[in-house]
Amino acid sequence: MFGLTIEKLFLVALLAAVIIGPRRLPEYARRLGGLIRRLTVLAGDATRRVEQETGVAAIRQDWTALDPRQYDPRRIIREAWAAAETAEVAAPRPGASVDDAGAPAGTWVIAGSSGHPRRVWVPAETDPRPVDADLLG
């Protein structure tokens, strides 16, 4: 603040002690302390008044809901994977192919980028990937 460092403040205090003198220094220090106390009270009152008139306190509460520390990527990914694992596969449409266990035929395909992969269920009849004839027998 204003380029003031501890060394400069110490030098100003030392000069003030020499110029004011040891007899008047306690009185000036008391006055300075009272002035700072009054300024602190005035600033606090002004802050409270502005918060009451403008509703800044309500805005502050809204900002706490947007605190980025609550967004833990590990937790978000863990919850997404748990939801994907527990999600039920939709019932097959009439005429859709089913496998031996009665589940809809299809596969899970990893789509998206490597940074944001997602699992997508692709039914067998709409699978756009080519089928290798050698694998079918």
Side-chain angles (χ1 to χ4, degrees), residues 92-105:
R93 293 175 309 197
S97 59
V98 289
D99 64 5
D100 296 335

Side-chain angles (χ1 to χ4, degrees), residues 5-49:
T5 61
I6 297 295
E7 295 85 16
K8 290 178 184 176
L9 291 174
F10 181 72
L11 183 62
V12 168
L14 184 64
L15 285 173
V18 170
I19 293 172
I20 295 174
R23 288 194 182 136
R24 294 184 293 177
L25 189 61
E27 176 61 29
Y28 282 109
R30 219 173 290 117
R31 285 185 186 176
L32 181 63
L35 176 67
I36 291 174
R37 222 173 289 114
R38 282 193 302 262
L39 287 175
T40 303
V41 169
L42 285 173
D45 289 342
T47 303
R48 279 189 293 280
R49 188 171 169 192

Side-chain angles (χ1 to χ4, degrees), residues 110-130:
I110 304 298
S113 67
S114 62
H116 300 285
R118 63 179 196 269
R119 291 176 33 175
V120 178
W121 177 258
V122 179
E125 64 270 3
T126 61
D127 193 353
R129 296 176 298 167

Side-chain angles (χ1 to χ4, degrees), residues 27-108:
E27 176 61 29
Y28 282 109
R30 219 173 290 117
R31 285 185 186 176
L32 181 63
L35 176 67
I36 291 174
R37 222 173 289 114
R38 282 193 302 262
L39 287 175
T40 303
V41 169
L42 285 173
D45 289 342
T47 303
R48 279 189 293 280
R49 188 171 169 192
V50 166
E51 284 179 356
Q52 288 174 350
E53 291 180 3
T54 62
V56 172
I59 294 172
R60 267 198 205 128
Q61 291 172 352
D62 292 342
W63 279 104
T64 56
L66 300 174
D67 186 14
R69 291 173 287 190
Q70 70 180 341
Y71 299 112
D72 180 22
R74 294 172 294 207
R75 179 185 54 82
I76 293 169
I77 291 171
R78 191 178 321 117
E79 290 173 358
W81 278 108
E85 289 174 357
T86 59
E88 294 182 25
V89 177
R93 293 175 309 197
S97 59
V98 289
D99 64 5
D100 296 335
T107 58
W108 285 102

